[in-house]
Amino acid sequence: MKLSIGIVGLPNVGKSTLFHILTDQKVTIANYPFATIDPNVGIVVVPDERVDILAGMSKSAKKIPAVVEFYDIAGLVKGANKGEGLGNQFLSHIRECQAICMVLRCFGKGDIIHVEGTVDPLRDLEIVETELALKDLETVEKRLEKVSRDARSGNKEIGAEKEMLEKLSASDITPLIRTNKGYNEYVGRLNLLSAKPRIFLLNGEEKDVPEDLRIKIQEMGPPAHGGYVVVDLDNVLEVPELITKAYEVL
């Protein structure tokens, strides 16, 4: 079984470092924004002792573990939907992913450039969530334009979809699709980013993580988030907890 996760976040927060640790693939890691342009893709085996135990009990000649496919895309910045930075076109690369891993910088090392000038993971969370929602709004509006033309035929199903899309385009899209189960069928068709489960990787030490960030993530609740992992990516060789948590969430 293969699951897919898109890694998102602002530039220079540790996305490509995380990808390298998880996949052992060589990627560009640099102390400047937008070092990653083309998406990096890697597949990682899910560590699970139960597979070994079951294989031993059944004397299986072959073991097929579950795997997770990770997509590392270019960093987002505030205003990406308007073309700031590299824009938000790279979000299309993770539209088919089943979940999102959002990397937030909590460490305060001054020699690592931060595109916003200061380290504030709660602010960064809001920036990324906003950009994901605005990308979804773009998707909704494109679909609405097509459905509006088709609805002239009088088809009731298309008319119902048009009504739903109009509500989505006129609202704060993120909380609406997370709390209204009536939109699940349509949301599934659109592959909206805001509807995907989140796993947060907080890059830093426990002491670096502000309490208001922990509270904010908890308040988002499922399916908005599947929890968070605190990891200092500069001082680890692997992040097995993230892989395991991702598989459990999905």
Side-chain angles (χ1 to χ4, degrees):
M1 180 178 179
K2 183 178 75 173
L3 303 174
S4 55
I5 298 178
I7 302 174
V8 301
L10 271 63
N12 289 2
V13 297
K15 300 186 309 301
S16 294
T17 300
L18 170 64
F19 181 85
H20 171 66
I21 294 170
L22 288 169
T23 66
D24 200 29
Q25 291 187 24
K26 291 184 178 180
V27 294
T28 301
I29 301 173
N31 185 17
Y32 55 84
F34 316 120
T36 299
I37 297 179
D38 296 323
N40 299 309
V41 183
I43 296 178
V44 180
V45 173
V46 178
D48 193 339
E49 296 178 354
R50 295 172 296 178
V51 174
D52 297 325
I53 295 173
L54 291 173
M57 293 172 61
S58 62
K59 298 182 180 179
S60 174
K62 188 176 182 180
K63 293 186 292 185
I64 304 178
V67 298
V68 178
E69 189 172 51
F70 287 97
Y71 287 77
D72 170 34
I73 65 170
L76 293 170
V77 297
K78 187 175 182 179
N81 64 296
K82 298 177 181 178
E84 293 295 329
L86 293 178
N88 64 5
Q89 70 269 28
F90 293 99
L91 288 175
S92 61
H93 292 291
I94 63 169
R95 189 167 297 286
E96 301 301 321
C97 289
Q98 293 155 293
I100 290 173
C101 174
M102 188 183 299
V103 181
L104 298 171
R105 174 179 172 178
C106 295
F107 67 87
K109 297 174 184 175
D111 56 334
I112 305 296
I113 298 170
H114 194 295
V115 293
E116 288 293 318
T118 58
V119 176
D120 185 344
L122 189 61
R123 174 204 58 208
D124 296 350
L125 167 61
E126 293 174 353
I127 289 174
V128 176
E129 286 285 342
T130 297
E131 293 302 323
L132 294 179
L134 290 172
K135 184 65 174 179
D136 284 343
L137 185 58
E138 179 184 309
T139 300
V140 167
E141 290 176 343
K142 286 182 179 179
R143 177 63 181 168
L144 178 58
E145 184 178 346
K146 181 181 185 304
V147 168
S148 295
R149 293 194 300 267
D150 297 342
R152 296 168 188 166
S153 66
N155 184 295
K156 291 184 178 180
E157 184 176 343
I158 294 178
E161 182 178 1
K162 177 175 178 290
E163 182 180 346
M164 181 279 301
L165 290 169
E166 288 174 339
K167 289 181 179 179
L168 282 175
S169 65
S171 68
D172 185 347
I173 193 169
T174 304
L176 181 60
I177 64 176
R178 286 178 178 170
T179 58
N180 193 321
K181 294 182 180 179
Y183 293 114
N184 286 354
E185 180 182 354
Y186 294 109
V187 167
R189 292 180 190 176
L190 294 171
N191 270 332
L192 297 181
L193 299 167
S194 301
K196 298 182 186 297
R198 301 278 195 277
I199 300 169
F200 294 91
L201 187 136
L202 311 183
N203 186 7
E205 300 177 15
E206 288 285 350
K207 64 180 179 61
D208 298 325
V209 181
E211 187 60 26
D212 55 357
L213 176 62
R214 299 179 194 264
I215 293 172
K216 175 64 176 179
I217 292 174
Q218 293 297 335
E219 286 178 345
M220 292 172 71
H225 85 89
Y228 63 85
V229 178
V230 181
V231 180
D232 182 356
L233 292 175
D234 282 344
N235 295 299
V236 295
L237 298 178
E238 57 182 8
V239 195
E241 184 181 350
L242 174 64
I243 302 173
T244 305
K245 183 180 285 291
Y247 192 73
E248 290 174 350
V249 168
L250 299 174

